[in-house]
Amino acid sequence: MYAAPSIQKLLDELERLPGVGPKSAQRIAYWILNADKATALRLAEAIAEVKDQVRFCERCFNYAEDDLCEICRSPKRDAGVICVVSEPRDIPPIERTAVYDGVYHVLGGALSPLEGIGPDNLRIAELMKRLASEEVREVVLATNPNVEGETTAAYLARLIKPLGIRVTRPASGLPVGGDLEFADEVTLGRALEGRREV
């Protein structure tokens, strides 16, 4: 398909997005072309703004616009319970359940020896520092229920249990091989309510 150079450049960039193939890129590009200029510029400004203003929370490594994210700053959260997740995108589905009121720690991935991701590539040392310096009663290992997530949870449980901190994992209800970001609120809420000792 022939496209003007500027359109082709847009198509090429859109196809680099996860889950966006050539047909989806075309639909998005033509939507942008057909939108009024103000709408297209708002989208461009939102992208530029998020890249300029968002960084990682200094405590939990969630996305934040300040040194600490809103969850870490909130006095309503139970800082004695830390939910460990692989990525910041895993936090919103848990928050939507309205069941969990603790804080988080984002690892920045999961253990995957085949991909060369070991403990030193994740924020495990930072988690252990938090556990040593904060009064934590429980750590919920909410990594994805797939091979990498289960391996990561087992590894963390071996590190944390000797500290005398309760270690739990969300109960069944999450499909094995699935990702938290795609779980519905009811299933995820039940899994968190029924979490079990590791």
Side-chain angles (χ1 to χ4, degrees):
M1 178 191 112
Y2 169 78
S6 58
I7 296 173
Q8 189 59 53
K9 181 179 176 183
L10 177 60
L11 289 168
D12 292 343
E13 291 303 316
L14 289 171
E15 282 186 48
R16 293 175 54 172
L17 296 172
V20 177
K23 289 189 184 281
S24 294
Q26 283 181 356
R27 280 194 297 276
I28 296 167
Y30 290 127
W31 178 86
I32 291 170
L33 285 167
N34 290 323
D36 61 87
K37 189 171 183 177
T39 299
L41 289 176
R42 277 196 310 274
L43 175 61
E45 287 168 11
I47 292 169
E49 184 177 321
V50 80
K51 292 304 292 178
D52 285 340
Q53 295 186 13
V54 176
R55 55 186 174 269
F56 290 116
C57 173
E58 291 177 359
R59 182 180 297 146
C60 75
F61 303 98
N62 185 13
Y63 293 128
E65 289 187 359
D66 293 310
D67 292 340
L68 296 177
C69 69
E70 290 183 26
I71 294 171
C72 284
R73 287 196 321 260
S74 173
K76 296 178 181 176
R77 303 305 290 230
D78 181 355
V81 182
I82 297 177
C83 182
V84 177
V85 296
S86 296
E87 300 289 348
R89 68 175 174 248
D90 298 328
I91 294 174
I94 294 172
E95 286 297 291
R96 284 193 299 269
T97 69
V99 170
Y100 180 73
D101 67 349
V103 293
Y104 294 90
H105 186 85
V106 180
L107 295 173
L111 294 174
S112 180
L114 294 176
E115 295 178 25
I117 301 172
D120 294 340
N121 303 109
L122 304 177
R123 296 188 189 98
I124 294 173
E126 292 85 345
L127 173 63
M128 299 310 289
K129 285 179 192 168
R130 286 182 72 183
L131 298 179
S133 64
E134 299 174 18
E135 293 184 24
V136 178
R137 302 181 313 279
E138 179 183 359
V139 173
V140 181
L141 300 175
T143 53
N144 287 320
N146 55 25
V147 174
E148 293 84 4
E150 293 293 336
T151 302
T152 305
Y155 178 82
L156 290 174
R158 282 195 308 272
L159 289 179
I160 298 167
K161 278 183 145 185
L163 303 176
I165 297 170
R166 181 176 184 229
V167 179
T168 59
R169 188 108 170 95
S172 61
L174 294 175
V176 174
D179 290 334
L180 288 175
E181 67 180 308
F182 301 116
D184 65 282
E185 292 86 356
V186 175
T187 300
L188 190 52
R190 285 181 184 155
L192 282 168
E193 285 175 329
R195 61 186 180 264
R196 55 181 161 70
E197 200 90 26
V198 176

PDB file of all heavy atoms in Angstrom, residues 115-153:
ATOM      1  N   GLU A 115      15.237 -15.936  29.541  1.00  0.00           N
ATOM      2  CA  GLU A 115      15.390 -14.593  28.975  1.00  0.00           C
ATOM      3  C   GLU A 115      16.514 -13.825  29.654  1.00  0.00           C
ATOM      4  O   GLU A 115      16.690 -12.627  29.404  1.00  0.00           O
ATOM      5  CB  GLU A 115      14.069 -13.825  29.091  1.00  0.00           C
ATOM      6  CG  GLU A 115      12.953 -14.420  28.256  1.00  0.00           C
ATOM      7  CD  GLU A 115      11.642 -13.661  28.418  1.00  0.00           C
ATOM      8  OE1 GLU A 115      11.679 -12.462  28.757  1.00  0.00           O
ATOM      9  OE2 GLU A 115      10.588 -14.276  28.204  1.00  0.00           O
ATOM     10  N   GLY A 116      17.243 -14.490  30.544  1.00  0.00           N
ATOM     11  CA  GLY A 116      18.357 -13.836  31.229  1.00  0.00           C
ATOM     12  C   GLY A 116      17.926 -12.890  32.336  1.00  0.00           C
ATOM     13  O   GLY A 116      18.681 -12.002  32.720  1.00  0.00           O
ATOM     14  N   ILE A 117      16.711 -13.056  32.858  1.00  0.00           N
ATOM     15  CA  ILE A 117      16.228 -12.193  33.937  1.00  0.00           C
ATOM     16  C   ILE A 117      16.360 -12.940  35.261  1.00  0.00           C
ATOM     17  O   ILE A 117      15.643 -13.896  35.531  1.00  0.00           O
ATOM     18  CB  ILE A 117      14.762 -11.760  33.716  1.00  0.00           C
ATOM     19  CG1 ILE A 117      14.630 -11.019  32.387  1.00  0.00           C
ATOM     20  CG2 ILE A 117      14.289 -10.886  34.878  1.00  0.00           C
ATOM     21  CD1 ILE A 117      13.202 -10.715  31.981  1.00  0.00           C
ATOM     22  N   GLY A 118      17.336 -12.505  36.051  1.00  0.00           N
ATOM     23  CA  GLY A 118      17.586 -13.106  37.351  1.00  0.00           C
ATOM     24  C   GLY A 118      17.209 -12.142  38.467  1.00  0.00           C
ATOM     25  O   GLY A 118      16.729 -11.028  38.214  1.00  0.00           O
ATOM     26  N   PRO A 119      17.450 -12.533  39.723  1.00  0.00           N
ATOM     27  CA  PRO A 119      17.092 -11.687  40.865  1.00  0.00           C
ATOM     28  C   PRO A 119      17.711 -10.287  40.815  1.00  0.00           C
ATOM     29  O   PRO A 119      17.091  -9.319  41.259  1.00  0.00           O
ATOM     30  CB  PRO A 119      17.617 -12.481  42.067  1.00  0.00           C
ATOM     31  CG  PRO A 119      17.654 -13.897  41.597  1.00  0.00           C
ATOM     32  CD  PRO A 119      17.983 -13.835  40.137  1.00  0.00           C
ATOM     33  N   ASP A 120      18.923 -10.180  40.272  1.00  0.00           N
ATOM     34  CA  ASP A 120      19.584  -8.874  40.217  1.00  0.00           C
ATOM     35  C   ASP A 120      18.961  -7.934  39.199  1.00  0.00           C
ATOM     36  O   ASP A 120      19.231  -6.735  39.218  1.00  0.00           O
ATOM     37  CB  ASP A 120      21.075  -9.042  39.904  1.00  0.00           C
ATOM     38  CG  ASP A 120      21.822  -9.744  41.027  1.00  0.00           C
ATOM     39  OD1 ASP A 120      21.318  -9.760  42.169  1.00  0.00           O
ATOM     40  OD2 ASP A 120      22.913 -10.293  40.759  1.00  0.00           O
ATOM     41  N   ASN A 121      18.137  -8.462  38.298  1.00  0.00           N
ATOM     42  CA  ASN A 121      17.471  -7.631  37.289  1.00  0.00           C
ATOM     43  C   ASN A 121      16.136  -7.083  37.775  1.00  0.00           C
ATOM     44  O   ASN A 121      15.498  -6.289  37.085  1.00  0.00           O
ATOM     45  CB  ASN A 121      17.241  -8.429  36.003  1.00  0.00           C
ATOM     46  CG  ASN A 121      18.519  -8.979  35.435  1.00  0.00           C
ATOM     47  OD1 ASN A 121      18.755 -10.177  35.473  1.00  0.00           O
ATOM     48  ND2 ASN A 121      19.384  -8.100  34.927  1.00  0.00           N
ATOM     49  N   LEU A 122      15.690  -7.544  38.949  1.00  0.00           N
ATOM     50  CA  LEU A 122      14.407  -7.106  39.513  1.00  0.00           C
ATOM     51  C   LEU A 122      14.658  -6.279  40.770  1.00  0.00           C
ATOM     52  O   LEU A 122      15.775  -6.241  41.289  1.00  0.00           O
ATOM     53  CB  LEU A 122      13.534  -8.331  39.836  1.00  0.00           C
ATOM     54  CG  LEU A 122      13.267  -9.286  38.670  1.00  0.00           C
ATOM     55  CD1 LEU A 122      12.459 -10.479  39.154  1.00  0.00           C
ATOM     56  CD2 LEU A 122      12.548  -8.575  37.540  1.00  0.00           C
ATOM     57  N   ARG A 123      13.609  -5.646  41.277  1.00  0.00           N
ATOM     58  CA  ARG A 123      13.740  -4.802  42.472  1.00  0.00           C
ATOM     59  C   ARG A 123      13.519  -5.626  43.752  1.00  0.00           C
ATOM     60  O   ARG A 123      12.756  -5.235  44.630  1.00  0.00           O
ATOM     61  CB  ARG A 123      12.763  -3.639  42.381  1.00  0.00           C
ATOM     62  CG  ARG A 123      13.076  -2.723  41.211  1.00  0.00           C
ATOM     63  CD  ARG A 123      12.221  -1.476  41.234  1.00  0.00           C
ATOM     64  NE  ARG A 123      12.400  -0.753  40.006  1.00  0.00           N
ATOM     65  CZ  ARG A 123      11.557  -0.828  38.963  1.00  0.00           C
ATOM     66  NH1 ARG A 123      10.480  -1.593  39.030  1.00  0.00           N
ATOM     67  NH2 ARG A 123      11.778  -0.121  37.876  1.00  0.00           N
ATOM     68  N   ILE A 124      14.212  -6.753  43.819  1.00  0.00           N
ATOM     69  CA  ILE A 124      14.096  -7.626  44.982  1.00  0.00           C
ATOM     70  C   ILE A 124      14.904  -7.063  46.152  1.00  0.00           C
ATOM     71  O   ILE A 124      14.445  -7.067  47.293  1.00  0.00           O
ATOM     72  CB  ILE A 124      14.529  -9.065  44.624  1.00  0.00           C
ATOM     73  CG1 ILE A 124      13.523  -9.655  43.617  1.00  0.00           C
ATOM     74  CG2 ILE A 124      14.647  -9.936  45.866  1.00  0.00           C
ATOM     75  CD1 ILE A 124      13.912 -10.996  43.041  1.00  0.00           C
ATOM     76  N   ALA A 125      16.098  -6.542  45.888  1.00  0.00           N
ATOM     77  CA  ALA A 125      16.918  -5.949  46.951  1.00  0.00           C
ATOM     78  C   ALA A 125      16.181  -4.785  47.606  1.00  0.00           C
ATOM     79  O   ALA A 125      16.201  -4.638  48.836  1.00  0.00           O
ATOM     80  CB  ALA A 125      18.262  -5.485  46.383  1.00  0.00           C
ATOM     81  N   GLU A 126      15.476  -3.982  46.787  1.00  0.00           N
ATOM     82  CA  GLU A 126      14.718  -2.850  47.338  1.00  0.00           C
ATOM     83  C   GLU A 126      13.569  -3.339  48.214  1.00  0.00           C
ATOM     84  O   GLU A 126      13.255  -2.737  49.239  1.00  0.00           O
ATOM     85  CB  GLU A 126      14.183  -1.967  46.201  1.00  0.00           C
ATOM     86  CG  GLU A 126      15.264  -1.224  45.428  1.00  0.00           C
ATOM     87  CD  GLU A 126      15.902  -2.021  44.290  1.00  0.00           C
ATOM     88  OE1 GLU A 126      15.731  -3.266  44.246  1.00  0.00           O
ATOM     89  OE2 GLU A 126      16.565  -1.413  43.450  1.00  0.00           O
ATOM     90  N   LEU A 127      12.930  -4.442  47.805  1.00  0.00           N
ATOM     91  CA  LEU A 127      11.864  -5.029  48.622  1.00  0.00           C
ATOM     92  C   LEU A 127      12.420  -5.489  49.964  1.00  0.00           C
ATOM     93  O   LEU A 127      11.831  -5.214  51.011  1.00  0.00           O
ATOM     94  CB  LEU A 127      11.203  -6.201  47.892  1.00  0.00           C
ATOM     95  CG  LEU A 127      10.185  -7.020  48.708  1.00  0.00           C
ATOM     96  CD1 LEU A 127       8.997  -6.160  49.115  1.00  0.00           C
ATOM     97  CD2 LEU A 127       9.733  -8.237  47.911  1.00  0.00           C
ATOM     98  N   MET A 128      13.544  -6.165  49.936  1.00  0.00           N
ATOM     99  CA  MET A 128      14.134  -6.675  51.170  1.00  0.00           C
ATOM    100  C   MET A 128      14.526  -5.523  52.106  1.00  0.00           C
ATOM    101  O   MET A 128      14.388  -5.626  53.326  1.00  0.00           O
ATOM    102  CB  MET A 128      15.337  -7.581  50.876  1.00  0.00           C
ATOM    103  CG  MET A 128      14.981  -8.815  50.036  1.00  0.00           C
ATOM    104  SD  MET A 128      13.554  -9.756  50.650  1.00  0.00           S
ATOM    105  CE  MET A 128      14.272 -10.480  52.128  1.00  0.00           C
ATOM    106  N   LYS A 129      14.996  -4.409  51.548  1.00  0.00           N
ATOM    107  CA  LYS A 129      15.308  -3.223  52.362  1.00  0.00           C
ATOM    108  C   LYS A 129      14.045  -2.685  53.018  1.00  0.00           C
ATOM    109  O   LYS A 129      14.062  -2.285  54.186  1.00  0.00           O
ATOM    110  CB  LYS A 129      15.966  -2.134  51.512  1.00  0.00           C
ATOM    111  CG  LYS A 129      17.401  -2.417  51.159  1.00  0.00           C
ATOM    112  CD  LYS A 129      17.975  -1.306  50.287  1.00  0.00           C
ATOM    113  CE  LYS A 129      19.297  -1.726  49.700  1.00  0.00           C
ATOM    114  NZ  LYS A 129      19.774  -0.832  48.644  1.00  0.00           N
ATOM    115  N   ARG A 130      12.946  -2.656  52.258  1.00  0.00           N
ATOM    116  CA  ARG A 130      11.673  -2.199  52.827  1.00  0.00           C
ATOM    117  C   ARG A 130      11.250  -3.103  53.977  1.00  0.00           C
ATOM    118  O   ARG A 130      10.794  -2.632  55.015  1.00  0.00           O
ATOM    119  CB  ARG A 130      10.562  -2.178  51.764  1.00  0.00           C
ATOM    120  CG  ARG A 130      10.666  -1.054  50.788  1.00  0.00           C
ATOM    121  CD  ARG A 130       9.513  -1.070  49.814  1.00  0.00           C
ATOM    122  NE  ARG A 130       8.266  -0.673  50.437  1.00  0.00           N
ATOM    123  CZ  ARG A 130       7.081  -0.659  49.820  1.00  0.00           C
ATOM    124  NH1 ARG A 130       7.008  -1.040  48.548  1.00  0.00           N
ATOM    125  NH2 ARG A 130       5.990  -0.280  50.447  1.00  0.00           N
ATOM    126  N   LEU A 131      11.381  -4.395  53.785  1.00  0.00           N
ATOM    127  CA  LEU A 131      10.960  -5.331  54.818  1.00  0.00           C
ATOM    128  C   LEU A 131      11.812  -5.195  56.078  1.00  0.00           C
ATOM    129  O   LEU A 131      11.332  -5.413  57.185  1.00  0.00           O
ATOM    130  CB  LEU A 131      11.016  -6.771  54.291  1.00  0.00           C
ATOM    131  CG  LEU A 131      10.093  -7.074  53.108  1.00  0.00           C
ATOM    132  CD1 LEU A 131      10.249  -8.522  52.669  1.00  0.00           C
ATOM    133  CD2 LEU A 131       8.642  -6.771  53.433  1.00  0.00           C
ATOM    134  N   ALA A 132      13.061  -4.806  55.913  1.00  0.00           N
ATOM    135  CA  ALA A 132      13.958  -4.631  57.060  1.00  0.00           C
ATOM    136  C   ALA A 132      13.692  -3.318  57.791  1.00  0.00           C
ATOM    137  O   ALA A 132      13.883  -3.231  59.002  1.00  0.00           O
ATOM    138  CB  ALA A 132      15.411  -4.689  56.603  1.00  0.00           C
ATOM    139  N   SER A 133      13.222  -2.295  57.062  1.00  0.00           N
ATOM    140  CA  SER A 133      13.082  -0.971  57.674  1.00  0.00           C
ATOM    141  C   SER A 133      11.648  -0.582  58.023  1.00  0.00           C
ATOM    142  O   SER A 133      11.435   0.338  58.800  1.00  0.00           O
ATOM    143  CB  SER A 133      13.677   0.093  56.749  1.00  0.00           C
ATOM    144  OG  SER A 133      12.944   0.162  55.539  1.00  0.00           O
ATOM    145  N   GLU A 134      10.655  -1.248  57.451  1.00  0.00           N
ATOM    146  CA  GLU A 134       9.255  -0.915  57.716  1.00  0.00           C
ATOM    147  C   GLU A 134       8.619  -2.032  58.544  1.00  0.00           C
ATOM    148  O   GLU A 134       9.092  -3.160  58.542  1.00  0.00           O
ATOM    149  CB  GLU A 134       8.501  -0.744  56.393  1.00  0.00           C
ATOM    150  CG  GLU A 134       9.054   0.372  55.518  1.00  0.00           C
ATOM    151  CD  GLU A 134       8.387   0.447  54.148  1.00  0.00           C
ATOM    152  OE1 GLU A 134       7.285  -0.111  53.967  1.00  0.00           O
ATOM    153  OE2 GLU A 134       8.980   1.063  53.248  1.00  0.00           O
ATOM    154  N   GLU A 135       7.569  -1.705  59.266  1.00  0.00           N
ATOM    155  CA  GLU A 135       6.866  -2.700  60.080  1.00  0.00           C
ATOM    156  C   GLU A 135       5.835  -3.421  59.215  1.00  0.00           C
ATOM    157  O   GLU A 135       4.670  -3.026  59.161  1.00  0.00           O
ATOM    158  CB  GLU A 135       6.219  -2.031  61.293  1.00  0.00           C
ATOM    159  CG  GLU A 135       7.237  -1.491  62.276  1.00  0.00           C
ATOM    160  CD  GLU A 135       6.587  -0.921  63.524  1.00  0.00           C
ATOM    161  OE1 GLU A 135       5.456  -1.317  63.856  1.00  0.00           O
ATOM    162  OE2 GLU A 135       7.232  -0.072  64.159  1.00  0.00           O
ATOM    163  N   VAL A 136       6.270  -4.466  58.552  1.00  0.00           N
ATOM    164  CA  VAL A 136       5.429  -5.211  57.624  1.00  0.00           C
ATOM    165  C   VAL A 136       4.987  -6.522  58.277  1.00  0.00           C
ATOM    166  O   VAL A 136       5.805  -7.277  58.789  1.00  0.00           O
ATOM    167  CB  VAL A 136       6.185  -5.495  56.306  1.00  0.00           C
ATOM    168  CG1 VAL A 136       5.333  -6.304  55.345  1.00  0.00           C
ATOM    169  CG2 VAL A 136       6.621  -4.182  55.654  1.00  0.00           C
ATOM    170  N   ARG A 137       3.665  -6.766  58.252  1.00  0.00           N
ATOM    171  CA  ARG A 137       3.086  -7.993  58.821  1.00  0.00           C
ATOM    172  C   ARG A 137       2.886  -9.071  57.772  1.00  0.00           C
ATOM    173  O   ARG A 137       2.929 -10.253  58.066  1.00  0.00           O
ATOM    174  CB  ARG A 137       1.718  -7.701  59.458  1.00  0.00           C
ATOM    175  CG  ARG A 137       1.721  -6.667  60.546  1.00  0.00           C
ATOM    176  CD  ARG A 137       0.321  -6.463  61.140  1.00  0.00           C
ATOM    177  NE  ARG A 137      -0.746  -6.302  60.169  1.00  0.00           N
ATOM    178  CZ  ARG A 137      -1.046  -5.185  59.527  1.00  0.00           C
ATOM    179  NH1 ARG A 137      -0.337  -4.089  59.738  1.00  0.00           N
ATOM    180  NH2 ARG A 137      -2.046  -5.139  58.665  1.00  0.00           N
ATOM    181  N   GLU A 138       2.593  -8.640  56.536  1.00  0.00           N
ATOM    182  CA  GLU A 138       2.248  -9.591  55.486  1.00  0.00           C
ATOM    183  C   GLU A 138       2.747  -9.109  54.141  1.00  0.00           C
ATOM    184  O   GLU A 138       2.703  -7.916  53.839  1.00  0.00           O
ATOM    185  CB  GLU A 138       0.722  -9.772  55.426  1.00  0.00           C
ATOM    186  CG  GLU A 138       0.257 -10.720  54.346  1.00  0.00           C
ATOM    187  CD  GLU A 138      -1.265 -10.829  54.254  1.00  0.00           C
ATOM    188  OE1 GLU A 138      -1.979 -10.182  55.047  1.00  0.00           O
ATOM    189  OE2 GLU A 138      -1.736 -11.559  53.360  1.00  0.00           O
ATOM    190  N   VAL A 139       3.207 -10.053  53.329  1.00  0.00           N
ATOM    191  CA  VAL A 139       3.559  -9.778  51.941  1.00  0.00           C
ATOM    192  C   VAL A 139       2.688 -10.676  51.074  1.00  0.00           C
ATOM    193  O   VAL A 139       2.684 -11.894  51.227  1.00  0.00           O
ATOM    194  CB  VAL A 139       5.055 -10.056  51.653  1.00  0.00           C
ATOM    195  CG1 VAL A 139       5.351  -9.915  50.168  1.00  0.00           C
ATOM    196  CG2 VAL A 139       5.944  -9.124  52.465  1.00  0.00           C
ATOM    197  N   VAL A 140       1.906 -10.052  50.197  1.00  0.00           N
ATOM    198  CA  VAL A 140       1.053 -10.775  49.249  1.00  0.00           C
ATOM    199  C   VAL A 140       1.815 -10.881  47.938  1.00  0.00           C
ATOM    200  O   VAL A 140       2.129  -9.867  47.320  1.00  0.00           O
ATOM    201  CB  VAL A 140      -0.288 -10.038  49.019  1.00  0.00           C
ATOM    202  CG1 VAL A 140      -1.162 -10.827  48.054  1.00  0.00           C
ATOM    203  CG2 VAL A 140      -1.006  -9.758  50.322  1.00  0.00           C
ATOM    204  N   LEU A 141       2.125 -12.088  47.526  1.00  0.00           N
ATOM    205  CA  LEU A 141       2.869 -12.300  46.284  1.00  0.00           C
ATOM    206  C   LEU A 141       1.875 -12.437  45.136  1.00  0.00           C
ATOM    207  O   LEU A 141       1.394 -13.529  44.846  1.00  0.00           O
ATOM    208  CB  LEU A 141       3.762 -13.541  46.410  1.00  0.00           C
ATOM    209  CG  LEU A 141       4.796 -13.471  47.537  1.00  0.00           C
ATOM    210  CD1 LEU A 141       5.535 -14.795  47.661  1.00  0.00           C
ATOM    211  CD2 LEU A 141       5.762 -12.320  47.321  1.00  0.00           C
ATOM    212  N   ALA A 142       1.569 -11.314  44.489  1.00  0.00           N
ATOM    213  CA  ALA A 142       0.549 -11.282  43.436  1.00  0.00           C
ATOM    214  C   ALA A 142       1.191 -11.226  42.058  1.00  0.00           C
ATOM    215  O   ALA A 142       0.761 -10.470  41.188  1.00  0.00           O
ATOM    216  CB  ALA A 142      -0.397 -10.106  43.654  1.00  0.00           C
ATOM    217  N   THR A 143       2.216 -12.041  41.867  1.00  0.00           N
ATOM    218  CA  THR A 143       2.794 -12.163  40.530  1.00  0.00           C
ATOM    219  C   THR A 143       1.840 -12.993  39.683  1.00  0.00           C
ATOM    220  O   THR A 143       0.992 -13.703  40.213  1.00  0.00           O
ATOM    221  CB  THR A 143       4.183 -12.828  40.604  1.00  0.00           C
ATOM    222  OG1 THR A 143       4.068 -14.051  41.325  1.00  0.00           O
ATOM    223  CG2 THR A 143       5.190 -11.920  41.286  1.00  0.00           C
ATOM    224  N   ASN A 144       1.981 -12.898  38.375  1.00  0.00           N
ATOM    225  CA  ASN A 144       1.066 -13.599  37.478  1.00  0.00           C
ATOM    226  C   ASN A 144       1.120 -15.112  37.702  1.00  0.00           C
ATOM    227  O   ASN A 144       2.186 -15.662  37.990  1.00  0.00           O
ATOM    228  CB  ASN A 144       1.397 -13.282  36.015  1.00  0.00           C
ATOM    229  CG  ASN A 144       0.993 -11.870  35.654  1.00  0.00           C
ATOM    230  OD1 ASN A 144      -0.046 -11.388  36.068  1.00  0.00           O
ATOM    231  ND2 ASN A 144       1.822 -11.202  34.871  1.00  0.00           N
ATOM    232  N   PRO A 145      -0.024 -15.791  37.562  1.00  0.00           N
ATOM    233  CA  PRO A 145      -0.061 -17.245  37.759  1.00  0.00           C
ATOM    234  C   PRO A 145       0.418 -18.015  36.526  1.00  0.00           C
ATOM    235  O   PRO A 145      -0.308 -18.826  35.961  1.00  0.00           O
ATOM    236  CB  PRO A 145      -1.537 -17.505  38.077  1.00  0.00           C
ATOM    237  CG  PRO A 145      -2.265 -16.430  37.348  1.00  0.00           C
ATOM    238  CD  PRO A 145      -1.364 -15.218  37.376  1.00  0.00           C
ATOM    239  N   ASN A 146       1.647 -17.702  36.094  1.00  0.00           N
ATOM    240  CA  ASN A 146       2.269 -18.441  34.987  1.00  0.00           C
ATOM    241  C   ASN A 146       3.618 -18.948  35.497  1.00  0.00           C
ATOM    242  O   ASN A 146       3.967 -18.750  36.662  1.00  0.00           O
ATOM    243  CB  ASN A 146       2.398 -17.560  33.739  1.00  0.00           C
ATOM    244  CG  ASN A 146       3.143 -16.271  34.014  1.00  0.00           C
ATOM    245  OD1 ASN A 146       3.944 -16.179  34.936  1.00  0.00           O
ATOM    246  ND2 ASN A 146       2.880 -15.257  33.208  1.00  0.00           N
ATOM    247  N   VAL A 147       4.389 -19.604  34.666  1.00  0.00           N
ATOM    248  CA  VAL A 147       5.644 -20.218  35.118  1.00  0.00           C
ATOM    249  C   VAL A 147       6.581 -19.180  35.737  1.00  0.00           C
ATOM    250  O   VAL A 147       7.116 -19.388  36.832  1.00  0.00           O
ATOM    251  CB  VAL A 147       6.346 -20.953  33.944  1.00  0.00           C
ATOM    252  CG1 VAL A 147       7.715 -21.453  34.360  1.00  0.00           C
ATOM    253  CG2 VAL A 147       5.488 -22.101  33.453  1.00  0.00           C
ATOM    254  N   GLU A 148       6.756 -18.044  35.057  1.00  0.00           N
ATOM    255  CA  GLU A 148       7.660 -17.017  35.571  1.00  0.00           C
ATOM    256  C   GLU A 148       7.156 -16.429  36.886  1.00  0.00           C
ATOM    257  O   GLU A 148       7.931 -16.225  37.819  1.00  0.00           O
ATOM    258  CB  GLU A 148       7.859 -15.898  34.537  1.00  0.00           C
ATOM    259  CG  GLU A 148       8.590 -16.324  33.290  1.00  0.00           C
ATOM    260  CD  GLU A 148       7.689 -16.972  32.251  1.00  0.00           C
ATOM    261  OE1 GLU A 148       6.448 -17.026  32.450  1.00  0.00           O
ATOM    262  OE2 GLU A 148       8.221 -17.454  31.229  1.00  0.00           O
ATOM    263  N   GLY A 149       5.855 -16.167  36.950  1.00  0.00           N
ATOM    264  CA  GLY A 149       5.269 -15.601  38.163  1.00  0.00           C
ATOM    265  C   GLY A 149       5.346 -16.554  39.342  1.00  0.00           C
ATOM    266  O   GLY A 149       5.633 -16.149  40.471  1.00  0.00           O
ATOM    267  N   GLU A 150       5.072 -17.823  39.087  1.00  0.00           N
ATOM    268  CA  GLU A 150       5.150 -18.829  40.160  1.00  0.00           C
ATOM    269  C   GLU A 150       6.586 -18.995  40.642  1.00  0.00           C
ATOM    270  O   GLU A 150       6.839 -19.121  41.838  1.00  0.00           O
ATOM    271  CB  GLU A 150       4.590 -20.172  39.673  1.00  0.00           C
ATOM    272  CG  GLU A 150       3.090 -20.162  39.381  1.00  0.00           C
ATOM    273  CD  GLU A 150       2.229 -19.966  40.630  1.00  0.00           C
ATOM    274  OE1 GLU A 150       2.681 -20.281  41.744  1.00  0.00           O
ATOM    275  OE2 GLU A 150       1.098 -19.489  40.479  1.00  0.00           O
ATOM    276  N   THR A 151       7.538 -18.980  39.707  1.00  0.00           N
ATOM    277  CA  THR A 151       8.952 -19.089  40.071  1.00  0.00           C
ATOM    278  C   THR A 151       9.372 -17.899  40.927  1.00  0.00           C
ATOM    279  O   THR A 151      10.062 -18.054  41.940  1.00  0.00           O
ATOM    280  CB  THR A 151       9.832 -19.162  38.803  1.00  0.00           C
ATOM    281  OG1 THR A 151       9.407 -20.282  38.027  1.00  0.00           O
ATOM    282  CG2 THR A 151      11.304 -19.277  39.132  1.00  0.00           C
ATOM    283  N   THR A 152       8.943 -16.713  40.523  1.00  0.00           N
ATOM    284  CA  THR A 152       9.266 -15.495  41.268  1.00  0.00           C
ATOM    285  C   THR A 152       8.661 -15.544  42.664  1.00  0.00           C
ATOM    286  O   THR A 152       9.331 -15.213  43.651  1.00  0.00           O
ATOM    287  CB  THR A 152       8.768 -14.246  40.500  1.00  0.00           C
ATOM    288  OG1 THR A 152       9.317 -14.261  39.178  1.00  0.00           O
ATOM    289  CG2 THR A 152       9.165 -12.971  41.208  1.00  0.00           C
ATOM    290  N   ALA A 153       7.399 -15.964  42.768  1.00  0.00           N
ATOM    291  CA  ALA A 153       6.734 -16.051  44.072  1.00  0.00           C
ATOM    292  C   ALA A 153       7.441 -17.043  44.990  1.00  0.00           C
ATOM    293  O   ALA A 153       7.660 -16.763  46.176  1.00  0.00           O
ATOM    294  CB  ALA A 153       5.264 -16.435  43.891  1.00  0.00           C
TER     295      ALA A 153
END
